């Protein structure tokens, strides 16, 4: 069997889901026997590969670059997983949505502290503008599976990946469907 | 003709970033910038919420150093209530914080730095992970 190509991405989120993935500890060696991690915060590659089997997407879609990246990733990925509550619902990243636009959060952080040379970030082509409304992953691209949790506990990630590795569609039940 | 070199994304760090370097006509670096490209706005959206929610929300500032943020909001809550926590609680908080420091150093070394240090700079990026 060909080795599975697994990618991970970190959009608007805290990296806690990636930390939970690393909490799989020695099971990561089992994973490394059958799969390569081809892209993500733990890999030095700058470009998403032409084809990946599975991509775990942590975080919500919060800026224009996230949207572009996700369109590219969706085209190049067989199985796309919303990994953790921010990807599934928007969660903490989307707490700014009731404010109506990105302006209030930017102004509070960059203009209100007047002792810090107040200026809004403006680096065209480098710093991507925030979306006015943070999106859960499935509002940006079609999602194949949902893996909830803030973060998903390591055991839940393991159970999920084991089913995927066995060629089955992961089906979480009971406590494994919990948010938070 | 000035030239730009862009490192995007900066990989294997505990955060989201890009680096841009501007070169002058002689190819010397005239400007170097580190850009943090992620922003969520906790400063604003926490305003007006019950303070009891804060130890649940602020650790999500950073999943790598959540303890710092949970302790900061717990201390702010203590100050709001004008309470002094018992010595055992203070020690437990300190222990939890030390645990985080250990965990963060292990992450930084084993998963982020060690692939470069142990496998060498020339290793193809896809092999340069902690699983080697």
């Amino acid at each position: 069997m060909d080795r599975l190509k697994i990618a991970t991405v970190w959009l608007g989120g805290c990296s806690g889901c990636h930390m939970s993935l690393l909490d799989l500890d020695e099971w990561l060696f089992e994973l490394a026997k059958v799969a390569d991690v081809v892209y993500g915060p733990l890999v030095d590659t700058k470009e998403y590969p032409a084809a990946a089997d599975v991509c775990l997407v942590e975080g919500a879609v919060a800026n224009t670059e996230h949207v572009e990246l996700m369109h590219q990733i969706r085209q190049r990925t067989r199985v796309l997983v919303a990994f953790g509550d921010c990807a599934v619902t928007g969660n903490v990243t989307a707490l700014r949505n009731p404010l109506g636009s990105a302006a209030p959060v930017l102004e509070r952080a960059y203009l209100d502290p007047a002792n810090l040379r107040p200026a809004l970030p403006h680096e065209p082509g480098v710093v991507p503008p925030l979306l006015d409304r943070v999106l859960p992953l499935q509002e940006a691209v079609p999602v194949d599976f949902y893996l909830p949790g803030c973060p998903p506990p390591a055991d839940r990630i393991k159970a999920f990946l084991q089913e995927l590795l066995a060629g089955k569609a992961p089906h979480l039940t009971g406590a494994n469907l919990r948010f938070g | 003709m000035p030239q730009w070199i862009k490192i995007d994304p900066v990989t294997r760090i505990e955060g989201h970033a890009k680096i841009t370097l501007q070169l002058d006509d002689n190819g010397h670096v005239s400007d170097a910038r580190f850009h943090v490209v992620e922003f969520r706005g906790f400063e604003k959206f926490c305003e007006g919420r019950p303070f009891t929610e804060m130890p649940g929300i602020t650790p999500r500032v950073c999943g790598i150093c959540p303890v710092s943020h949970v302790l900061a909001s717990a201390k702010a809550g203590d100050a709001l209530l004008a309470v002094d926590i018992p010595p055992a609680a203070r020690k437990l908080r300190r222990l939890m914080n030390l645990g985080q420091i250990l965990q963060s150093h292990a992450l930084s070394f084993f998963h982020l730095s060690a692939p470069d240090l142990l496998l060498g700079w020339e290793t193809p990026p896809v092999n340069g992970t902690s699983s080697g």
Side-chain angles (χ1 to χ4, degrees), chain A residues 66-76 140-141:
Chain A
H66 293 159
V67 178
E68 290 162 22
L69 181 66
M70 282 321 305
H71 284 140
Q72 186 190 56
I73 288 178
R74 179 65 274 189
Q75 285 181 349
R76 299 179 179 187
V141 289

Side-chain angles (χ1 to χ4, degrees), chain B residues 40-123:
Chain B
R40 285 174 294 158
F42 284 80
E43 301 88 338
K44 184 67 184 174
F45 66 61
C46 285
E47 285 176 357
R49 301 191 77 95
F51 78 93
T52 49
E53 287 184 358
M54 292 305 123
I57 293 176
T58 63
R60 274 72 185 182
V61 167
C62 173
I64 299 159
C65 58
V67 174
S68 312
H69 301 282
V70 78
L71 290 183
S73 63
K75 283 181 172 180
D78 296 344
L80 276 173
L81 295 169
V83 295
D84 211 5
I85 64 167
R90 199 181 309 278
K91 285 176 182 163
L92 281 171
R93 285 183 183 182
R94 175 158 290 196
L95 185 64
M96 186 162 74
N97 197 40
L98 292 170
Q100 175 187 267
I101 292 171
L102 277 178
Q103 190 194 30
S104 186
H105 277 70
L107 168 80
S108 177
F109 180 75
F110 290 106
H111 286 297
L112 304 176
S113 308
D116 283 337
L117 300 173
L118 298 179
L119 304 174
W121 306 110
E122 304 307 322
T123 309

Side-chain angles (χ1 to χ4, degrees), chain A residues 14 44 65 108 123 126 150, chain B residues 11 16 18 33 47 60 63:
Chain A
C14 75
D44 204 19
E65 215 167 72
R108 177 69 182 85
E123 294 283 344
V126 181
C150 184
Chain B
T11 45
H16 285 96
K18 300 181 187 183
R33 293 185 181 194
E47 285 176 357
R60 274 72 185 182

Side-chain angles (χ1 to χ4, degrees), chain A residues 146-149 153 155-157 159 171-179:
Chain A
Y146 298 86
L147 177 50
D155 285 346
R156 189 181 300 172
I157 300 172
H171 184 62
L172 298 175
T173 54
N176 275 340
L177 285 172
R178 270 188 206 144
F179 291 117

Side-chain angles (χ1 to χ4, degrees), chain A:
Chain A
M1 191 183 101
D2 282 351
R3 290 174 64 76
L4 211 60
K5 291 192 178 78
I6 297 183
T8 70
V9 283
W10 173 14
L11 306 179
C14 75
S15 189
C17 301
H18 273 80
M19 293 300 104
S20 204
L21 178 68
L22 294 178
D23 277 342
L24 285 166
D25 299 331
E26 65 271 26
W27 192 75
L28 292 173
F29 291 106
E30 298 298 313
L31 186 62
K33 286 180 190 164
V34 293
D36 289 315
V37 181
V38 293
Y39 180 86
L42 303 168
V43 188
D44 204 19
T45 312
K46 307 290 182 198
E47 289 283 327
Y48 197 83
D53 295 305
V54 181
C55 182
L56 302 177
V57 184
E58 170 181 351
V61 177
N63 66 39
T64 54
E65 215 167 72
H66 293 159
V67 178
E68 290 162 22
L69 181 66
M70 282 321 305
H71 284 140
Q72 186 190 56
I73 288 178
R74 179 65 274 189
Q75 285 181 349
R76 299 179 179 187
T77 311
R78 219 150 49 84
V79 175
L80 195 68
V81 181
F83 177 38
D85 288 350
C86 290
V88 177
T89 70
N91 197 31
V92 172
T93 309
L95 279 180
R96 69 172 167 87
N97 284 353
L99 300 169
S101 77
V105 285
L106 287 169
E107 286 164 9
R108 177 69 182 85
Y110 287 94
L111 299 183
D112 288 3
N115 56 336
L116 298 174
R117 290 193 296 165
L120 291 175
H122 182 68
E123 294 283 344
V126 181
V127 178
L130 296 182
L131 301 181
D132 279 330
R133 190 170 160 273
V134 174
L135 307 172
L137 190 61
Q138 84 273 7
E139 286 192 33
V141 289
V143 171
D144 298 304
F145 295 107
Y146 298 86
L147 177 50
C150 184
D155 285 346
R156 189 181 300 172
I157 300 172
K158 183 175 161 183
F160 184 91
L161 288 178
Q162 276 174 328
E163 292 203 30
L164 264 189
L165 293 174
K168 289 187 244 167
H171 184 62
L172 298 175
T173 54
N176 275 340
L177 285 172
R178 270 188 206 144
F179 291 117

